[in-house]
Amino acid sequence: MENLILAIETSCDETAASVIKNGTEILSNVVASQIESQKRFGGVVPEIASRHHVEQITIVIEEALEKANIEPSDLNAVAVTEGPGLVGALLVGINAAKAFAFSHGLPIIGVHHIAGHIYASSLVEPMQFPLLALVVSGGHTELVYMKEHGSFEVIGETRDDAAGEAYDKVARVLNMPYPGGPHIDRLAHEAEKGVEFPRAWLEENSYDFSFSGLKSAVINYKHNMEQRGEEIVPEEVAKGFQDSVVEVLTTKTVKAAKELNVKQVIVAGGVSANRGLRESLSEALAKEGIPFVAPPLHLCTDNAAMIGACAAYMYEAGVRGDLSMNGLPGKELKSWARS
Ligand code: KG4
Ligand code: ZN
């Protein structure tokens, strides 16, 4: 495979652009985060996210090209996240990609955000099929089976909150700033023991997830303690919460990996930055002799390199978008492979 792709990602609160060579080599990976400004509101405010993207997008694209030391005429295609995500945020990236593609006579490729998260792993190690990807982020919790490049089968997903959403909400209950995941992770490691919280296994044989009950259990625990005039120990609450999330994610992932006889398990998305989850998955999969890939943290949270990696394979398969491309907030993860 030989191609050079400029990729753009603006689906949530990171304005990102990257140049990717042959789907595996990162020539540049620029991310302008809005976390500092969204912190004040305890979450992402869509209108503010869009405005930030508008301010940053041109600078970020120019920086990505400059750092990669390439000219637009060297490129084979422009790739951009088409969805899912915040529609106003997506549109900023899509319009920038369209303008760039049109003015330089390049094809445009619309990438699914979750496919992008999965393909972050190909920047680390070649993908081995069939594989299973656990995608855990602020907006998603999915187990995806891939029998080859471009083939996606969602075998399990959350029925309510995404794992990252639960982390962020519980962090709020514990008075910690947004995004809460890293804070809970840190606190959890400071506790000796955790508060006992329930595990949502759902029906036997289901690979679906549910985190809203656990979130309510944490809130109820805090209220009960307050009513009794007792202080909660945030570290113990964090550990109890994290243990529950990690145990369910690990158990279901390992079970599916064995049942589907996969050659590789990939973890992706912002929550895969979680130390507890990484350790637990890597230990459990090692026991089963199943190879495990956890990309470095900066490729786990939202970035454009992963979009470029995914687009490289789409480009090879002949997938092209056109200038009628629109932001698709609820875009489904569809296969592009023909078989
Ligand atoms: O993939 P991502 O950057 O954006 C989305 O597409 O949603 O994921 C962001 C989510 C946030 O909910 C954040 O709290 C969570 O990832 N996160 C973590 C950790 N680092 C980030 N959750 C648990 N532990 C972490 N260390
Ligand atoms: Zn994401």
Side-chain angles (χ1 to χ4, degrees), residues 11-14 113 117 136-140 163-165 167-168 178-182 185 242 269-275 300-302:
S11 68
C12 190
D13 59 350
E14 321 280 359
H113 185 74
H117 271 303
V136 270
S137 73
H140 295 268
E165 207 177 339
Y167 263 97
D168 294 338
Y178 172 85
D185 196 9
Q242 176 146 313
V271 181
S272 66
N274 189 274
R275 271 191 296 159
C300 285
T301 47
D302 286 351

PDB file of all heavy atoms in Angstrom, residues 11-14 113 117 136-140 163-165 167-168 178-182 185 242 269-275 300-302, ligand 1:
ATOM      1  N   SER A  11     -14.959  15.683  15.637  1.00  0.00           N
ATOM      2  CA  SER A  11     -16.287  15.189  16.009  1.00  0.00           C
ATOM      3  C   SER A  11     -16.731  15.602  17.406  1.00  0.00           C
ATOM      4  O   SER A  11     -17.908  15.641  17.705  1.00  0.00           O
ATOM      5  CB  SER A  11     -16.328  13.668  15.899  1.00  0.00           C
ATOM      6  OG  SER A  11     -15.501  13.086  16.876  1.00  0.00           O
ATOM      7  N   CYS A  12     -15.775  15.935  18.283  1.00  0.00           N
ATOM      8  CA  CYS A  12     -16.169  16.314  19.643  1.00  0.00           C
ATOM      9  C   CYS A  12     -15.414  17.562  20.072  1.00  0.00           C
ATOM     10  O   CYS A  12     -15.648  18.638  19.536  1.00  0.00           O
ATOM     11  CB  CYS A  12     -15.939  15.132  20.577  1.00  0.00           C
ATOM     12  SG  CYS A  12     -16.660  15.387  22.204  1.00  0.00           S
ATOM     13  N   ASP A  13     -14.475  17.429  20.989  1.00  0.00           N
ATOM     14  CA  ASP A  13     -13.827  18.637  21.494  1.00  0.00           C
ATOM     15  C   ASP A  13     -12.335  18.721  21.190  1.00  0.00           C
ATOM     16  O   ASP A  13     -11.615  19.497  21.821  1.00  0.00           O
ATOM     17  CB  ASP A  13     -14.090  18.803  22.999  1.00  0.00           C
ATOM     18  CG  ASP A  13     -13.596  17.626  23.815  1.00  0.00           C
ATOM     19  OD1 ASP A  13     -13.221  16.586  23.221  1.00  0.00           O
ATOM     20  OD2 ASP A  13     -13.582  17.725  25.050  1.00  0.00           O
ATOM     21  N   GLU A  14     -11.853  17.948  20.213  1.00  0.00           N
ATOM     22  CA  GLU A  14     -10.460  18.095  19.785  1.00  0.00           C
ATOM     23  C   GLU A  14     -10.463  18.487  18.314  1.00  0.00           C
ATOM     24  O   GLU A  14     -11.114  17.841  17.510  1.00  0.00           O
ATOM     25  CB  GLU A  14      -9.674  16.777  19.901  1.00  0.00           C
ATOM     26  CG  GLU A  14      -9.969  15.928  21.105  1.00  0.00           C
ATOM     27  CD  GLU A  14      -9.263  16.391  22.356  1.00  0.00           C
ATOM     28  OE1 GLU A  14      -8.514  17.384  22.297  1.00  0.00           O
ATOM     29  OE2 GLU A  14      -9.482  15.764  23.403  1.00  0.00           O
ATOM     30  N   HIS A 113     -16.050   7.513  12.924  1.00  0.00           N
ATOM     31  CA  HIS A 113     -15.190   7.809  14.075  1.00  0.00           C
ATOM     32  C   HIS A 113     -14.715   6.547  14.816  1.00  0.00           C
ATOM     33  O   HIS A 113     -13.547   6.461  15.232  1.00  0.00           O
ATOM     34  CB  HIS A 113     -15.950   8.738  15.030  1.00  0.00           C
ATOM     35  CG  HIS A 113     -15.159   9.210  16.196  1.00  0.00           C
ATOM     36  ND1 HIS A 113     -14.169  10.168  16.090  1.00  0.00           N
ATOM     37  CD2 HIS A 113     -15.183   8.851  17.507  1.00  0.00           C
ATOM     38  CE1 HIS A 113     -13.640  10.371  17.285  1.00  0.00           C
ATOM     39  NE2 HIS A 113     -14.227   9.581  18.167  1.00  0.00           N
ATOM     40  N   HIS A 117     -11.027   4.942  15.566  1.00  0.00           N
ATOM     41  CA  HIS A 117     -10.464   4.501  16.860  1.00  0.00           C
ATOM     42  C   HIS A 117      -9.837   3.109  16.722  1.00  0.00           C
ATOM     43  O   HIS A 117      -8.756   2.845  17.243  1.00  0.00           O
ATOM     44  CB  HIS A 117     -11.542   4.477  17.942  1.00  0.00           C
ATOM     45  CG  HIS A 117     -11.698   5.782  18.680  1.00  0.00           C
ATOM     46  ND1 HIS A 117     -10.654   6.392  19.341  1.00  0.00           N
ATOM     47  CD2 HIS A 117     -12.771   6.586  18.866  1.00  0.00           C
ATOM     48  CE1 HIS A 117     -11.091   7.513  19.901  1.00  0.00           C
ATOM     49  NE2 HIS A 117     -12.367   7.658  19.626  1.00  0.00           N
ATOM     50  N   VAL A 136     -14.041   1.912  23.721  1.00  0.00           N
ATOM     51  CA  VAL A 136     -14.611   2.527  24.920  1.00  0.00           C
ATOM     52  C   VAL A 136     -14.235   4.003  24.963  1.00  0.00           C
ATOM     53  O   VAL A 136     -13.079   4.353  25.152  1.00  0.00           O
ATOM     54  CB  VAL A 136     -14.117   1.831  26.217  1.00  0.00           C
ATOM     55  CG1 VAL A 136     -15.027   0.695  26.601  1.00  0.00           C
ATOM     56  CG2 VAL A 136     -12.681   1.329  26.094  1.00  0.00           C
ATOM     57  N   SER A 137     -15.247   4.860  24.764  1.00  0.00           N
ATOM     58  CA  SER A 137     -14.939   6.293  24.764  1.00  0.00           C
ATOM     59  C   SER A 137     -16.044   7.055  25.483  1.00  0.00           C
ATOM     60  O   SER A 137     -16.903   6.448  26.117  1.00  0.00           O
ATOM     61  CB  SER A 137     -14.802   6.779  23.321  1.00  0.00           C
ATOM     62  OG  SER A 137     -16.075   6.836  22.723  1.00  0.00           O
ATOM     63  N   GLY A 138     -16.004   8.380  25.360  1.00  0.00           N
ATOM     64  CA  GLY A 138     -17.020   9.207  26.012  1.00  0.00           C
ATOM     65  C   GLY A 138     -18.394   8.998  25.400  1.00  0.00           C
ATOM     66  O   GLY A 138     -19.414   9.174  26.068  1.00  0.00           O
ATOM     67  N   GLY A 139     -18.422   8.609  24.135  1.00  0.00           N
ATOM     68  CA  GLY A 139     -19.698   8.444  23.459  1.00  0.00           C
ATOM     69  C   GLY A 139     -20.046   6.999  23.121  1.00  0.00           C
ATOM     70  O   GLY A 139     -21.162   6.705  22.731  1.00  0.00           O
ATOM     71  N   HIS A 140     -19.078   6.082  23.251  1.00  0.00           N
ATOM     72  CA  HIS A 140     -19.296   4.712  22.780  1.00  0.00           C
ATOM     73  C   HIS A 140     -18.733   3.630  23.679  1.00  0.00           C
ATOM     74  O   HIS A 140     -17.701   3.829  24.312  1.00  0.00           O
ATOM     75  CB  HIS A 140     -18.651   4.524  21.401  1.00  0.00           C
ATOM     76  CG  HIS A 140     -19.304   5.372  20.376  1.00  0.00           C
ATOM     77  ND1 HIS A 140     -20.333   4.937  19.612  1.00  0.00           N
ATOM     78  CD2 HIS A 140     -19.085   6.663  20.046  1.00  0.00           C
ATOM     79  CE1 HIS A 140     -20.732   5.920  18.839  1.00  0.00           C
ATOM     80  NE2 HIS A 140     -19.990   6.988  19.071  1.00  0.00           N
ATOM     81  N   ALA A 163     -19.114   4.010  28.587  1.00  0.00           N
ATOM     82  CA  ALA A 163     -18.220   3.849  29.737  1.00  0.00           C
ATOM     83  C   ALA A 163     -17.618   5.207  30.154  1.00  0.00           C
ATOM     84  O   ALA A 163     -17.599   5.549  31.339  1.00  0.00           O
ATOM     85  CB  ALA A 163     -17.113   2.860  29.406  1.00  0.00           C
ATOM     86  N   GLY A 164     -17.159   5.972  29.186  1.00  0.00           N
ATOM     87  CA  GLY A 164     -16.542   7.268  29.492  1.00  0.00           C
ATOM     88  C   GLY A 164     -17.525   8.252  30.106  1.00  0.00           C
ATOM     89  O   GLY A 164     -17.182   9.031  30.998  1.00  0.00           O
ATOM     90  N   GLU A 165     -18.770   8.168  29.622  1.00  0.00           N
ATOM     91  CA  GLU A 165     -19.826   9.026  30.152  1.00  0.00           C
ATOM     92  C   GLU A 165     -20.041   8.712  31.633  1.00  0.00           C
ATOM     93  O   GLU A 165     -20.197   9.613  32.461  1.00  0.00           O
ATOM     94  CB  GLU A 165     -21.090   8.669  29.372  1.00  0.00           C
ATOM     95  CG  GLU A 165     -22.115   9.722  29.232  1.00  0.00           C
ATOM     96  CD  GLU A 165     -23.268   9.176  28.352  1.00  0.00           C
ATOM     97  OE1 GLU A 165     -23.088   8.199  27.578  1.00  0.00           O
ATOM     98  OE2 GLU A 165     -24.353   9.749  28.469  1.00  0.00           O
ATOM     99  N   TYR A 167     -17.835   7.391  33.652  1.00  0.00           N
ATOM    100  CA  TYR A 167     -16.663   7.921  34.354  1.00  0.00           C
ATOM    101  C   TYR A 167     -16.825   9.418  34.623  1.00  0.00           C
ATOM    102  O   TYR A 167     -16.584   9.902  35.729  1.00  0.00           O
ATOM    103  CB  TYR A 167     -15.389   7.705  33.505  1.00  0.00           C
ATOM    104  CG  TYR A 167     -14.620   6.471  33.906  1.00  0.00           C
ATOM    105  CD1 TYR A 167     -14.774   5.274  33.215  1.00  0.00           C
ATOM    106  CD2 TYR A 167     -13.746   6.492  34.991  1.00  0.00           C
ATOM    107  CE1 TYR A 167     -14.079   4.132  33.585  1.00  0.00           C
ATOM    108  CE2 TYR A 167     -13.040   5.364  35.373  1.00  0.00           C
ATOM    109  CZ  TYR A 167     -13.213   4.185  34.669  1.00  0.00           C
ATOM    110  OH  TYR A 167     -12.526   3.065  35.050  1.00  0.00           O
ATOM    111  N   ASP A 168     -17.244  10.155  33.596  1.00  0.00           N
ATOM    112  CA  ASP A 168     -17.363  11.607  33.739  1.00  0.00           C
ATOM    113  C   ASP A 168     -18.458  11.987  34.735  1.00  0.00           C
ATOM    114  O   ASP A 168     -18.295  12.917  35.521  1.00  0.00           O
ATOM    115  CB  ASP A 168     -17.621  12.254  32.365  1.00  0.00           C
ATOM    116  CG  ASP A 168     -16.427  12.087  31.428  1.00  0.00           C
ATOM    117  OD1 ASP A 168     -15.308  11.877  31.935  1.00  0.00           O
ATOM    118  OD2 ASP A 168     -16.610  12.172  30.200  1.00  0.00           O
ATOM    119  N   TYR A 178     -13.884  17.952  34.695  1.00  0.00           N
ATOM    120  CA  TYR A 178     -14.069  17.254  33.413  1.00  0.00           C
ATOM    121  C   TYR A 178     -12.771  17.260  32.629  1.00  0.00           C
ATOM    122  O   TYR A 178     -12.061  18.252  32.659  1.00  0.00           O
ATOM    123  CB  TYR A 178     -15.169  17.969  32.611  1.00  0.00           C
ATOM    124  CG  TYR A 178     -15.294  17.447  31.211  1.00  0.00           C
ATOM    125  CD1 TYR A 178     -16.071  16.331  30.929  1.00  0.00           C
ATOM    126  CD2 TYR A 178     -14.600  18.060  30.164  1.00  0.00           C
ATOM    127  CE1 TYR A 178     -16.163  15.833  29.646  1.00  0.00           C
ATOM    128  CE2 TYR A 178     -14.683  17.558  28.874  1.00  0.00           C
ATOM    129  CZ  TYR A 178     -15.458  16.454  28.625  1.00  0.00           C
ATOM    130  OH  TYR A 178     -15.539  15.952  27.359  1.00  0.00           O
ATOM    131  N   PRO A 179     -12.389  16.234  31.894  1.00  0.00           N
ATOM    132  CA  PRO A 179     -13.019  14.916  31.874  1.00  0.00           C
ATOM    133  C   PRO A 179     -12.571  14.082  33.072  1.00  0.00           C
ATOM    134  O   PRO A 179     -11.411  14.103  33.465  1.00  0.00           O
ATOM    135  CB  PRO A 179     -12.497  14.326  30.561  1.00  0.00           C
ATOM    136  CG  PRO A 179     -11.196  15.012  30.299  1.00  0.00           C
ATOM    137  CD  PRO A 179     -11.257  16.346  30.972  1.00  0.00           C
ATOM    138  N   GLY A 180     -13.524  13.357  33.665  1.00  0.00           N
ATOM    139  CA  GLY A 180     -13.272  12.726  34.947  1.00  0.00           C
ATOM    140  C   GLY A 180     -12.486  11.422  34.908  1.00  0.00           C
ATOM    141  O   GLY A 180     -11.915  11.013  35.922  1.00  0.00           O
ATOM    142  N   GLY A 181     -12.456  10.768  33.741  1.00  0.00           N
ATOM    143  CA  GLY A 181     -11.806   9.464  33.648  1.00  0.00           C
ATOM    144  C   GLY A 181     -10.429   9.394  34.281  1.00  0.00           C
ATOM    145  O   GLY A 181     -10.185   8.559  35.163  1.00  0.00           O
ATOM    146  N   PRO A 182      -9.509  10.260  33.859  1.00  0.00           N
ATOM    147  CA  PRO A 182      -8.146  10.179  34.404  1.00  0.00           C
ATOM    148  C   PRO A 182      -8.095  10.385  35.930  1.00  0.00           C
ATOM    149  O   PRO A 182      -7.279   9.771  36.609  1.00  0.00           O
ATOM    150  CB  PRO A 182      -7.402  11.313  33.691  1.00  0.00           C
ATOM    151  CG  PRO A 182      -8.209  11.594  32.465  1.00  0.00           C
ATOM    152  CD  PRO A 182      -9.627  11.257  32.786  1.00  0.00           C
ATOM    153  N   ASP A 185      -9.304   7.212  37.653  1.00  0.00           N
ATOM    154  CA  ASP A 185      -8.244   6.219  37.457  1.00  0.00           C
ATOM    155  C   ASP A 185      -7.140   6.429  38.507  1.00  0.00           C
ATOM    156  O   ASP A 185      -6.689   5.489  39.171  1.00  0.00           O
ATOM    157  CB  ASP A 185      -7.677   6.420  36.037  1.00  0.00           C
ATOM    158  CG  ASP A 185      -6.848   5.240  35.555  1.00  0.00           C
ATOM    159  OD1 ASP A 185      -6.845   4.200  36.238  1.00  0.00           O
ATOM    160  OD2 ASP A 185      -6.211   5.365  34.493  1.00  0.00           O
ATOM    161  N   GLN A 242     -14.430   1.764  39.466  1.00  0.00           N
ATOM    162  CA  GLN A 242     -13.513   1.301  38.403  1.00  0.00           C
ATOM    163  C   GLN A 242     -13.430  -0.230  38.355  1.00  0.00           C
ATOM    164  O   GLN A 242     -13.410  -0.823  37.282  1.00  0.00           O
ATOM    165  CB  GLN A 242     -12.124   1.925  38.599  1.00  0.00           C
ATOM    166  CG  GLN A 242     -11.095   1.414  37.605  1.00  0.00           C
ATOM    167  CD  GLN A 242     -10.078   2.471  37.210  1.00  0.00           C
ATOM    168  OE1 GLN A 242     -10.425   3.595  36.898  1.00  0.00           O
ATOM    169  NE2 GLN A 242      -8.810   2.121  37.234  1.00  0.00           N
ATOM    170  N   GLY A 269     -10.234   4.014  21.965  1.00  0.00           N
ATOM    171  CA  GLY A 269     -11.124   5.026  22.538  1.00  0.00           C
ATOM    172  C   GLY A 269     -10.540   5.602  23.819  1.00  0.00           C
ATOM    173  O   GLY A 269      -9.655   4.999  24.438  1.00  0.00           O
ATOM    174  N   GLY A 270     -11.053   6.759  24.211  1.00  0.00           N
ATOM    175  CA  GLY A 270     -10.498   7.501  25.350  1.00  0.00           C
ATOM    176  C   GLY A 270     -10.354   6.699  26.629  1.00  0.00           C
ATOM    177  O   GLY A 270      -9.362   6.814  27.349  1.00  0.00           O
ATOM    178  N   VAL A 271     -11.342   5.850  26.938  1.00  0.00           N
ATOM    179  CA  VAL A 271     -11.301   5.096  28.196  1.00  0.00           C
ATOM    180  C   VAL A 271     -10.202   4.021  28.164  1.00  0.00           C
ATOM    181  O   VAL A 271      -9.749   3.546  29.209  1.00  0.00           O
ATOM    182  CB  VAL A 271     -12.686   4.468  28.504  1.00  0.00           C
ATOM    183  CG1 VAL A 271     -12.678   3.692  29.811  1.00  0.00           C
ATOM    184  CG2 VAL A 271     -13.757   5.556  28.561  1.00  0.00           C
ATOM    185  N   SER A 272      -9.721   3.676  26.974  1.00  0.00           N
ATOM    186  CA  SER A 272      -8.637   2.684  26.919  1.00  0.00           C
ATOM    187  C   SER A 272      -7.326   3.280  27.438  1.00  0.00           C
ATOM    188  O   SER A 272      -6.325   2.585  27.556  1.00  0.00           O
ATOM    189  CB  SER A 272      -8.474   2.101  25.518  1.00  0.00           C
ATOM    190  OG  SER A 272      -8.040   3.074  24.622  1.00  0.00           O
ATOM    191  N   ALA A 273      -7.344   4.588  27.746  1.00  0.00           N
ATOM    192  CA  ALA A 273      -6.189   5.177  28.428  1.00  0.00           C
ATOM    193  C   ALA A 273      -6.140   4.715  29.890  1.00  0.00           C
ATOM    194  O   ALA A 273      -5.146   4.891  30.581  1.00  0.00           O
ATOM    195  CB  ALA A 273      -6.272   6.703  28.366  1.00  0.00           C
ATOM    196  N   ASN A 274      -7.240   4.103  30.327  1.00  0.00           N
ATOM    197  CA  ASN A 274      -7.353   3.690  31.733  1.00  0.00           C
ATOM    198  C   ASN A 274      -6.351   2.595  32.100  1.00  0.00           C
ATOM    199  O   ASN A 274      -6.328   1.522  31.497  1.00  0.00           O
ATOM    200  CB  ASN A 274      -8.787   3.200  31.986  1.00  0.00           C
ATOM    201  CG  ASN A 274      -9.060   2.968  33.445  1.00  0.00           C
ATOM    202  OD1 ASN A 274      -8.784   1.897  33.957  1.00  0.00           O
ATOM    203  ND2 ASN A 274      -9.562   3.979  34.117  1.00  0.00           N
ATOM    204  N   ARG A 275      -5.560   2.890  33.124  1.00  0.00           N
ATOM    205  CA  ARG A 275      -4.502   1.943  33.531  1.00  0.00           C
ATOM    206  C   ARG A 275      -5.074   0.639  34.027  1.00  0.00           C
ATOM    207  O   ARG A 275      -4.577  -0.451  33.720  1.00  0.00           O
ATOM    208  CB  ARG A 275      -3.655   2.568  34.645  1.00  0.00           C
ATOM    209  CG  ARG A 275      -2.490   3.366  34.121  1.00  0.00           C
ATOM    210  CD  ARG A 275      -1.567   3.726  35.261  1.00  0.00           C
ATOM    211  NE  ARG A 275      -2.242   4.595  36.226  1.00  0.00           N
ATOM    212  CZ  ARG A 275      -1.860   4.755  37.495  1.00  0.00           C
ATOM    213  NH1 ARG A 275      -0.832   4.065  37.972  1.00  0.00           N
ATOM    214  NH2 ARG A 275      -2.498   5.582  38.299  1.00  0.00           N
ATOM    215  N   CYS A 300      -5.162   6.888  21.657  1.00  0.00           N
ATOM    216  CA  CYS A 300      -6.423   6.346  22.194  1.00  0.00           C
ATOM    217  C   CYS A 300      -7.483   7.425  22.293  1.00  0.00           C
ATOM    218  O   CYS A 300      -8.643   7.207  21.994  1.00  0.00           O
ATOM    219  CB  CYS A 300      -6.207   5.759  23.588  1.00  0.00           C
ATOM    220  SG  CYS A 300      -5.379   4.185  23.536  1.00  0.00           S
ATOM    221  N   THR A 301      -7.100   8.618  22.748  1.00  0.00           N
ATOM    222  CA  THR A 301      -8.064   9.718  22.800  1.00  0.00           C
ATOM    223  C   THR A 301      -8.206  10.271  21.375  1.00  0.00           C
ATOM    224  O   THR A 301      -7.455   9.888  20.476  1.00  0.00           O
ATOM    225  CB  THR A 301      -7.580  10.818  23.772  1.00  0.00           C
ATOM    226  OG1 THR A 301      -6.225  11.081  23.474  1.00  0.00           O
ATOM    227  CG2 THR A 301      -7.677  10.364  25.204  1.00  0.00           C
ATOM    228  N   ASP A 302      -9.193  11.152  21.176  1.00  0.00           N
ATOM    229  CA  ASP A 302      -9.487  11.603  19.812  1.00  0.00           C
ATOM    230  C   ASP A 302      -8.277  12.246  19.140  1.00  0.00           C
ATOM    231  O   ASP A 302      -7.606  13.104  19.725  1.00  0.00           O
ATOM    232  CB  ASP A 302     -10.656  12.595  19.838  1.00  0.00           C
ATOM    233  CG  ASP A 302     -11.970  11.889  20.092  1.00  0.00           C
ATOM    234  OD1 ASP A 302     -11.984  10.640  20.079  1.00  0.00           O
ATOM    235  OD2 ASP A 302     -12.978  12.588  20.296  1.00  0.00           O
TER     236      ASP A 302
HETATM  237  O1  KG4 B   1     -12.311   8.861  22.684  1.00  0.00           O
HETATM  238  P1  KG4 B   1     -12.422  10.097  23.480  1.00  0.00           P
HETATM  239  O2  KG4 B   1     -11.224  11.015  23.555  1.00  0.00           O
HETATM  240  O3  KG4 B   1     -13.615  10.976  22.971  1.00  0.00           O
HETATM  241  C1  KG4 B   1     -14.806  10.415  22.527  1.00  0.00           C
HETATM  242  O4  KG4 B   1     -14.884  10.022  21.318  1.00  0.00           O
HETATM  243  O5  KG4 B   1     -15.717  10.298  23.377  1.00  0.00           O
HETATM  244  O6  KG4 B   1     -12.880   9.672  24.957  1.00  0.00           O
HETATM  245  C2  KG4 B   1     -13.057  10.604  25.995  1.00  0.00           C
HETATM  246  C3  KG4 B   1     -13.466   9.862  27.270  1.00  0.00           C
HETATM  247  C4  KG4 B   1     -13.878  10.765  28.418  1.00  0.00           C
HETATM  248  O7  KG4 B   1     -15.127  10.301  28.916  1.00  0.00           O
HETATM  249  C5  KG4 B   1     -12.776  10.581  29.453  1.00  0.00           C
HETATM  250  O8  KG4 B   1     -13.212  10.718  30.794  1.00  0.00           O
HETATM  251  C6  KG4 B   1     -12.330   9.174  29.160  1.00  0.00           C
HETATM  252  O9  KG4 B   1     -12.360   9.078  27.758  1.00  0.00           O
HETATM  253  N1  KG4 B   1     -10.979   8.893  29.683  1.00  0.00           N
HETATM  254  C7  KG4 B   1     -10.733   7.979  30.647  1.00  0.00           C
HETATM  255  C8  KG4 B   1      -9.339   8.035  30.917  1.00  0.00           C
HETATM  256  N2  KG4 B   1      -8.789   8.966  30.096  1.00  0.00           N
HETATM  257  C9  KG4 B   1      -9.816   9.471  29.336  1.00  0.00           C
HETATM  258  N3  KG4 B   1     -11.558   7.145  31.304  1.00  0.00           N
HETATM  259  C10 KG4 B   1     -11.029   6.336  32.234  1.00  0.00           C
HETATM  260  N4  KG4 B   1      -9.720   6.338  32.569  1.00  0.00           N
HETATM  261  C11 KG4 B   1      -8.842   7.157  31.937  1.00  0.00           C
HETATM  262  N5  KG4 B   1      -7.550   7.134  32.283  1.00  0.00           N
END
